[in-house]
Amino acid sequence: MLVMKIPTILLLLSLMPIHRAFAITAPPTIDLGPDLNADEYLNASSMVGPTVDLYQKQLELTKIRTQVNPDEIDKCYTDNSPHDQFADQISYYSQMMIKDIPSMIGFIGSTYKTSSNDADLFPTSLIRHPLCAVSKSTLSKTMKKVPAQRTIDMLNVFATTVNKLRTSVLNGDQKAKAELLFIWSRFFSCLAYTESLSTADNSTSQSVAALYSPTGYRRPAGVEFYEDAAQPPVSRLNVGTYQFTPDKTGNIIPCIKAWNSLHTGTQSCSIPVNATQGELIKILGSSLQSFNAFCGVHKLIETFSVQVNTTNSGATHPSNFVDGKLKPAELRCVSPHFQAGKAYNHFGPFQNSTGSNMEALFSCSLRSQN
């Protein structure tokens, strides 16, 4: 019996250091400075929404929205502003994620070689790490459909602009942080158009909504329902601004966990982790799109978190692997441009899934401000 126990004990001992290998040995040393004024997002949305709408020749970001369902999820703000434009929601949650926010990717840690313990993950935000410069060579290692050089040039213009402002923030320039909020608000506003806003109210969206809507729910204007025939049945339905599947076992899990961690003590704002499809349709398809917008911005945080915390060189940008070793978490750069499955990615335009949607996103992000 003793002989049988020894290998078991050795096995247990051998497993113990795995968790510690991922643990944070020190908190971040880079100071991102004081938070923006709580209402700064209103300045961003008032400037970004109209210009992106003008670029897109539509009015989806700046239309005044009204609640057509109870939508308790649309009442979970820290201020008394009406939040009645999609532009407001996008800027509000972009501002929330300018500072460090829990990524909650622990549940997929084994897939991407990060810690499975959320508390052990090095923090990330929209500005915690610089954006990586990209090239045909680096993109060929992180995604399948490498875009044309003119698109790559746009990716680098965007990254350079963000990084220069980030450097100014680290030097104490609070105006630069406000400008970064404008840039990220514009980026996610353009993404909203590439994902859903252009087609949200068409006949197909209305038909799919009629098919799936739970009892007592009415599809609000601007909220797209879409069936992706290329997906398996469990993930075929996509709802709202950033097109999420109402499935409690799907990729909205990190968003739900992060949302709940930020709304502790507010029962009406808590999202059940075992919510039914009908309950999640109501949440993802709410009139003001609060949780949907939150999750849309948070998806990029999740992508960054994988790249910062992984021990797999293939799940982070090639420049983070130097002399046969991965850089420490704090010193890595991050990139939106990864194939789904490599460093976790929800959005097709980030990985040029159609061959043209990456160019459309970054053309909007860079040119709609003119």
Side-chain angles (χ1 to χ4, degrees), residues 303-321:
T303 301
F304 288 172
S305 187
V306 168
Q307 296 171 47
V308 165
N309 287 283
T310 186
T311 59
N312 175 15
S313 61
T316 192
H317 192 270
S319 65
N320 291 326
F321 191 69

Side-chain angles (χ1 to χ4, degrees), residues 35-92:
D35 293 340
L36 291 168
N37 291 334
D39 62 353
E40 186 64 40
Y41 78 94
L42 291 172
N43 293 328
S45 65
S46 67
M47 293 292 291
V48 170
T51 53
V52 174
D53 273 353
L54 180 64
Y55 180 86
Q56 298 290 346
K57 298 181 174 60
Q58 297 190 61
L59 297 171
E60 295 303 314
L61 290 168
T62 53
K63 281 181 183 177
I64 302 301
R65 310 288 176 173
T66 57
Q67 289 188 320
V68 299
N69 300 298
D71 294 328
E72 290 299 318
I73 206 72
D74 284 335
K75 303 172 185 176
C76 301
Y77 308 109
T78 58
D79 65 357
N80 295 318
S81 295
H83 291 262
D84 55 3
Q85 299 178 21
F86 289 169
D88 292 340
Q89 315 302 62
I90 293 169
S91 293
Y92 180 84

Side-chain angles (χ1 to χ4, degrees), residues 14-42:
S14 69
L15 289 174
M16 288 176 64
I18 293 178
H19 175 77
R20 290 199 297 265
F22 288 113
I24 297 174
T25 56
T29 62
I30 297 174
D31 184 5
L32 299 179
D35 293 340
L36 291 168
N37 291 334
D39 62 353
E40 186 64 40
Y41 78 94
L42 291 172

